[in-house]
Amino acid sequence: MNNRKTILIIGFAIFASYFGAGNLILPPQLGFNSGPDWWLVTLGFIASAIIIPLLALFGHARLQGTMLDFGSKVSPLFSLVYCLCVYIIAITLPIPRTAAVTHEMAIQPFFNSSSLLTSTLYFGIAFIFIMKRDKILSILGKFLTPLIVLILLAIIGIGLFTSPESMNPSVLDSPAIIAGLLEGYQTYDALGGVLIGGVVIISLNLEGGISFEDKKAIIAKSGLVAAIGLFLIYTGMIAVGALHNTEFEASISRPELLTSLSIKTLGNIGNVFLSVLIALACFTTAVSVIVGTADFFKGLFKNSQIVYTITAVISCLIGVFVGQFDVSYIIVVALPALMFIYPITIILIILNVIPQKYASSTVFKGVALVTFIFSIPDFFSIFIAKRKFNESKSTYSIC
């Protein structure tokens, strides 16, 4: 086996898995709001959206098991509950968000239709693909990601060299690094790292003939390849958003900002092309995650196809309901859940990476308990802030 070729192939696959189309709308506005402090928010964003997910892969490289193994040292029950929480969050927040992003970037600018219609058609078609598990999705994925990357690199390159000489000051309510860290939560990449690492292990096991140490090295180096790609895109988009923050209204939404930047740098044709590609990439992400979730629950019930179907139906119905809301609203709603599950995910990742002599079962249990306790105040503080956000809006219409 050519390890160098394998490392690149798996590295690009991991990059594509992390590089969810919904994540593309986050970095530009983070830079837009931070202004001259864009490099500070970048540090925070990199920590939660790149470094922690990379450490998750390192953890999988050491364990070479499944997602359930990440929390098994606490207890099998804890690990199962944790996995259930991750999958439930996946189908109730980031997956519906893909439909919302599709509506705001690819449908709303061109058609006068409701978001409810978009989310209904979106997840209706998704359900067909989920049940047939059509290979066209993997084929589309191989071409979509490179095309989106090329367009984004063009936006970054042109945007960096055509920016105004001045920037608006930061309007962030919290320290720049903290704002970047919390926004990185919204990529769901730390959760994705725990999920994706298990898939990589299975793929390498299917190849056969690879030693434990070789697999460990391949996963670690492939993760670095993916991390470098994410660093270039995320940093570039944050910088472009900051450098052009004098050219758009302060109230501009995340999807509108990405659309406006693409029009400014690539023109209307380039924007249409980007919108279509993002819509397709969102769709492939939604189908893949729902299939993975349905497979997980199917495995819990002795490979029952009925359970697979029921999980797919419930996931799509949730997608229709949540996906009709504005992207900004879904992001705000997600914060309490993320503030609760992310600290636990981060400590599980770290404990599975540090030397084993410092990570006994007792240490796992103690740290998990303390993290759980301290996550509760964060959960309620964000929950209260979310309620205030809702009250500040006269309506949040279901378009």
Side-chain angles (χ1 to χ4, degrees), residues 15-16 35 78 112-113 143 168 181 194 198 233 260 272 307 328 359 379:
F15 171 82
F78 169 86
N112 185 25
S113 60
F143 294 100
N168 288 329
L181 185 76
V194 177
I233 297 297
S260 299
V272 171
V307 172
S328 297
F379 171 83

Side-chain angles (χ1 to χ4, degrees), residues 1-18 50 53-58 60-61 196-197 199-201 203-204 207 210 213-231:
M1 171 179 285
N2 187 332
N3 279 2
R4 181 174 296 179
K5 181 179 179 181
T6 301
I7 288 168
L8 290 176
I9 291 174
I10 295 178
F12 290 145
I14 293 172
F15 171 82
S17 299
Y18 280 141
I50 299 179
L54 179 61
L55 291 178
L57 293 175
F58 290 169
H60 271 292
I196 293 166
V199 176
V200 174
I201 293 294
S203 299
L204 290 174
E207 289 284 342
I210 309 175
E213 290 301 321
D214 282 345
K215 281 188 284 187
K216 188 175 181 179
I218 289 171
I219 295 169
K221 293 177 181 178
S222 298
L224 286 173
V225 170
I228 291 171
L230 291 172
F231 173 81

Side-chain angles (χ1 to χ4, degrees), residues 40 43 54 154 159 167 197 201 235 269 364:
L40 287 172
L43 293 177
L54 179 61
M167 278 188 286
I201 293 294
T235 302
I269 295 178
F364 263 81

Side-chain angles (χ1 to χ4, degrees), residues 117-173:
L117 176 61
T118 298
S119 64
T120 301
L121 292 175
Y122 183 92
F123 284 103
I125 298 171
F127 181 75
I128 296 173
F129 279 86
I130 291 163
M131 297 310 296
K132 290 188 175 182
R133 308 184 75 143
D134 204 310
K135 292 183 179 180
I136 191 172
L137 290 175
S138 61
I139 296 173
L140 285 173
K142 291 178 182 178
F143 294 100
L144 286 177
T145 299
L147 287 172
I148 293 176
V149 169
L150 288 175
I151 292 176
L152 290 176
L153 289 176
I155 293 174
I156 292 169
I158 296 173
L160 291 176
F161 290 101
T162 60
S163 62
E165 295 182 358
S166 61
M167 278 188 286
N168 288 329
S170 171
V171 295
L172 297 173
D173 295 328

Side-chain angles (χ1 to χ4, degrees), residues 286-320:
V287 171
S288 299
V289 173
I290 293 176
V291 167
T293 304
D295 280 338
F296 176 78
F297 283 96
K298 177 182 177 181
L300 291 180
F301 292 89
K302 300 179 180 180
N303 290 321
S304 170
Q305 185 61 32
I306 294 176
V307 172
Y308 179 93
T309 303
I310 291 173
T311 304
V313 170
I314 292 174
S315 299
C316 289
L317 289 176
I318 292 173
V320 170

